[in-house]
Amino acid sequence: MSHADPNCIFCKIIAGQIPAKKVYEDEDILAFHDIAPWAPVHILLIPKQHIVSMAEVTAAEAAVLGRMMTLVPTLMTQLGVSNGFRQVINTGHDGHQEVMHLHMHVMGGPRPWSRG
């Protein structure tokens, strides 16, 4: 795994080559609003290290993935989500992963995933 992929849109966002509406950033993680939201609040959390998908995760990534998971409640509270949220990580082609850089969708607001 390399630190960055020059052809990856998320690596370009991390590098500042493509703008994003950032929610959070530290040395290992970036969180930003999804450009095509499925919910009133829809953010993406990505590791700054280029990891293709969950299928490529090793024990070496456990700490950053754990930090991503534990960061979510704080971010959603800051964004005004108070009645629950959904976290989704799509993996690979059959898992409907569209960008080949591991990312977690976090969606909240009034029943954004309801089919009605």
Side-chain angles (χ1 to χ4, degrees):
M1 259 177 296
S2 64
H3 181 67
D5 177 341
N7 299 313
C8 172
I9 190 168
F10 288 168
C11 289
K12 290 179 181 181
I13 289 171
I14 292 164
Q17 298 168 346
I18 296 175
K21 187 177 174 187
K22 295 178 184 179
V23 173
Y24 176 86
E25 183 172 18
D26 66 23
E27 62 279 354
D28 300 315
I29 299 168
L30 177 64
F32 54 94
H33 288 274
D34 193 296
I35 62 168
W38 287 21
V41 175
H42 184 169
I43 62 173
L44 301 176
L45 277 80
I46 62 174
K48 287 188 172 181
Q49 177 183 358
H50 184 79
I51 304 167
V52 173
S53 74
M54 285 299 295
E56 305 219 355
V57 168
T58 68
E61 289 80 43
V64 71
L65 294 177
R67 287 188 50 241
M68 286 171 59
M69 295 295 285
T70 59
L71 182 59
V72 169
T74 300
L75 295 180
M76 294 309 274
T77 298
Q78 290 173 354
L79 293 169
V81 175
S82 60
N83 200 27
F85 50 86
R86 176 178 276 187
Q87 294 165 252
V88 177
I89 299 175
N90 299 323
T91 302
H93 179 74
D94 287 345
H96 300 282
Q97 183 178 359
E98 294 179 7
V99 177
M100 294 301 135
H101 183 124
L102 189 147
H103 57 286
M104 179 191 319
H105 294 263
V106 185
M107 297 164 277
R111 296 186 172 259
W113 37 86
S114 177
R115 293 183 182 217

